[in-house]
Amino acid sequence: MELTLWTYEGPPHVGAIRVAASMRDVHLMLHSPQGDTYADLLFTMIERDGRRPPVTYTTFQARDLGSSTAEIVINSLREAAERYKPQVLMVADSCTAELIQDQPGALALGADLPVPVISLEMAAYTRKENWGAAETFYQLVRGLLSRNAPAPGTQRPSRDPAVRPSVNLLGPTKLGFRCRDDVVEVERLLNSMGVDVNVVAPLGASPHDLLLIPNADANVNLCPEVSDLTCSWLARTFGMPTIKTIPMGWGATRDFIAEVAATLEIEVNMDQVGASRLPWYSRSIDSTYLTGKRVFVFADGSHAVAAARVARDEMGFEVVGIGTYSRERARDVRAAAKEYGLEALITDNYLEVEARVQELQPEMVLGTQMERHIAKRLGIPCAVISTPAHVQDYPARYSPQMGFEGANVLFDTWVHPLIMGLEEHLLHMFRDDFEFNDSVGPSHLGSEGEGARAAKAGNAQDAETDGTIVWAFEAEKELKKIPFFVRGKARRNTEKFAEEQGLLTIEVDTLYDAKAHFSN
């Protein structure tokens, strides 16, 4: 572990809470010190959930460490089982409690509780949130279905052609990116193909629903960060095929339809299943001026790979960088990067991501909430495509990312920041016109507030004392006349030129001298 200001993922126990909060009739007992209950806020404030997560915290305090904290665990287990009466009780410890080594899972198994218990090992100091969610879902499914597994070598019976085929949608959870709406869209898409959805899990499922998973003909690995491990186990144990294509974008949605049809051995008329306006939009006069825009993509693994394909093949953008914070999906992202002739950026350090964005100077960023902050500081348009996300990325309206309607949403979401960016440029271009004045603030894409610029200019007299390079007010004003999409590069080149020349204050002449220097 390392200390950081921002983090892409929380500790593994947050992933366990995501699975518990997504399901019905399960309860999680988390052995944790006082203060680790902050995870509740993620669901009530960010996910905008109307109920708090089904979690009981032991919340031991420092004074409890002088006695047996194991007794606190046992008492909390019995109280939770009696009060909530879940179908399944999961037990885990937080990263802090793991250091005490009370082993709450072992205590729960020996406590003679009136409910089935599944013990979770979170590996808090080597793994993170998505892994925690994946491990929790896997242990839950395996714990419930192992006794129903057929003998090794047993052939899975053929599907009855007189019965409508069915699939399971596995992986969507609370705090996933648009999971609620994606499930609705994908289920609608499957129904139009004559395919039923047997179980959706973890989102909205109960332990009883998980027992019905083997009844389906195949599993859709809808959110690999959470469901990949479970789908692999179901394939090995029950012989259930896995549909791996994620229907994000027009092309991938058609590929998804084809894979479902081939897996279930059914005939599907592709053109009658559904349609999207994205292909027409992408060819229209409104979007042709966007062709060739340089885009940097950074997200969780599945969204990064899917978004890069949409950006290049359906929007006509040039993908100049791709990466992920999810090390479990690094292989997939590296394979995608190789296809684009790029080297993937695999890191969970936002400073490395910011450095890569500064180096590449893209005209748009597709990323997480972290990249939105980075892009805003650099004056680059950005669209959020993955968690971690801000509360504004959990809209009340229907806004899927998958399926044909999801393709429409992607077009709107990605193109609008670029249009706003053009608006930003026009505002700066005509800000000296009599119809405009300095009281008109910049749009939400402004890289710096006017106050920040004024403060920087006002500190010019301190340059000689601390050795930093500062911009004179007039030079800052001149810089703002440069189009937004190259302004960041102009700023960095000018500062580099000033450093080489030993200048501490950048004047208007310095700006144009630097332009002439780098133009040669």
Side-chain angles (χ1 to χ4, degrees), residues 25 31 60-61 89 118 139 148 191 251 259 300 347 373 410 415 432 442 472 487 511 520:
D25 300 325
H31 188 34
F60 60 85
Q61 302 178 47
L89 180 63
I118 292 180
Q139 292 294 347
N148 300 334
N191 286 334
E259 186 178 1
D300 67 31
T347 181
H373 287 304
L410 291 180
V415 168
D432 292 326
R487 191 181 304 144
L511 178 62
N520 294 333

Side-chain angles (χ1 to χ4, degrees), residues 98-345:
E98 187 176 305
L99 298 173
I100 304 174
Q101 298 185 345
D102 277 332
Q103 296 182 322
L107 293 171
L109 293 173
D112 192 27
L113 298 172
V115 296
V117 173
I118 292 180
S119 175
L120 305 174
E121 298 293 334
M122 288 288 94
Y125 291 93
T126 57
R127 299 290 187 170
K128 293 194 174 182
E129 180 181 332
N130 280 337
W131 181 91
E135 182 69 13
T136 300
F137 185 45
Y138 165 66
Q139 292 294 347
L140 189 56
V141 172
R142 181 176 178 177
L144 292 171
L145 288 177
S146 288
R147 66 185 64 184
N148 300 334
T154 302
Q155 283 291 104
R156 185 174 176 82
S158 301
R159 184 180 67 81
D160 184 352
V163 178
R164 275 173 62 105
S166 67
V167 297
N168 301 310
L169 302 183
L170 303 184
T173 66
K174 295 283 188 181
L175 289 182
F177 193 75
R178 307 287 172 83
C179 283
R180 176 197 64 194
D181 296 346
D182 284 341
V183 166
V184 174
E185 185 64 23
V186 173
E187 191 165 358
R188 180 185 299 168
L189 179 65
L190 290 167
N191 286 334
S192 69
M193 298 170 58
V195 177
D196 292 333
V197 173
N198 178 49
V199 171
V200 177
L203 191 63
S206 68
H208 176 72
D209 293 329
L210 299 185
L211 293 173
L212 303 177
I213 285 178
N215 296 345
D217 299 300
N219 295 311
V220 176
N221 192 7
L222 201 62
C223 305
E225 281 75 13
V226 175
S227 52
D228 203 40
L229 188 60
T230 301
C231 286
S232 296
W233 182 78
L234 291 169
R236 294 192 309 270
T237 308
F238 290 89
M240 300 183 70
T242 302
I243 296 166
K244 298 181 179 180
T245 302
I246 298 174
M248 183 174 165
W250 183 79
T253 299
R254 290 174 67 89
D255 290 348
F256 172 79
I257 295 170
E259 186 178 1
V260 170
T263 301
L264 301 178
E265 298 179 339
I266 59 176
E267 294 292 331
V268 175
N269 186 329
M270 189 82 68
D271 296 325
Q272 292 183 356
V273 172
S276 169
R277 289 183 288 275
L278 184 142
W280 181 85
Y281 284 150
S282 297
R283 295 190 300 267
S284 70
I285 191 65
D286 289 335
S287 67
T288 50
Y289 81 95
L290 303 174
T291 302
K293 291 291 185 183
R294 304 172 71 255
V295 176
F296 176 81
V297 182
F298 192 89
D300 67 31
S302 56
H303 282 89
V305 173
R309 174 181 174 178
V310 174
R312 183 189 66 177
D313 298 346
E314 300 174 27
M315 302 287 196
F317 296 152
E318 178 189 356
V319 179
V320 297
I322 182 173
T324 183
Y325 59 82
S326 178
R327 296 189 182 276
E328 289 81 13
R329 313 304 306 174
R331 180 177 298 179
D332 295 340
V333 176
R334 286 194 177 101
K338 187 176 181 180
E339 180 183 342
Y340 300 114
L342 303 171
E343 181 180 352
L345 175 63

